[in-house]
Amino acid sequence: MKLIIAIIRPERLDAVQRALQSALDEGDNYRLTVQTVDGHGRQGGEVEYFRGQPVRYRMVHKSQITIGVNDAYVEPAIRAIMEAARTAEGEIGDGKIFVIPLEECVRIRTGERGGAAI
């Protein structure tokens, strides 16, 4: 099992959700959590203008998606996120995907463990 954490542009969230649903929904194999987060990568923040003066905001609003998947669905999930989250030109700030080993998953309601709990 793996835990996939993707940091994406908020405006790409609906497209990513649709892509994941079409790529992974077969067999009810994933669960999704979405959070609003602030951070920065290479772009180093954003510049806005206030009364004609540039103001640099170090943090940029992003959406963080967390998905627990069985090993067979890792690559389809990554492909779906990449295709849906990437802007047409592939710009700085499109995001990152982190894949982390998931040691255990427990469904609270039934006590199921492992891949069956995902």
Side-chain angles (χ1 to χ4, degrees), residues 4-70:
I4 299 174
I5 300 171
I7 310 295
I8 63 169
R9 296 174 183 266
E11 64 269 19
R12 303 301 303 160
L13 180 59
D14 288 339
V16 169
Q17 286 178 298
R18 285 192 304 274
L20 284 169
Q21 189 169 23
S22 65
L24 303 178
D25 205 26
E26 220 174 271
D28 202 33
N29 292 304
Y30 80 102
R31 299 294 179 264
L32 175 77
T33 302
V34 177
Q35 296 174 299
T36 300
V37 296
D38 293 327
H40 70 83
R42 284 194 178 157
Q43 79 270 32
E46 293 179 339
V47 176
E48 292 184 10
Y49 289 88
F50 180 74
R51 295 185 180 177
Q53 297 297 315
V55 178
R56 183 168 198 80
Y57 294 99
R58 289 234 175 266
M59 299 297 191
V60 179
H61 298 298
K62 297 287 183 176
S63 292
Q64 177 177 312
I65 299 171
T66 306
I67 313 165
V69 296
N70 289 314

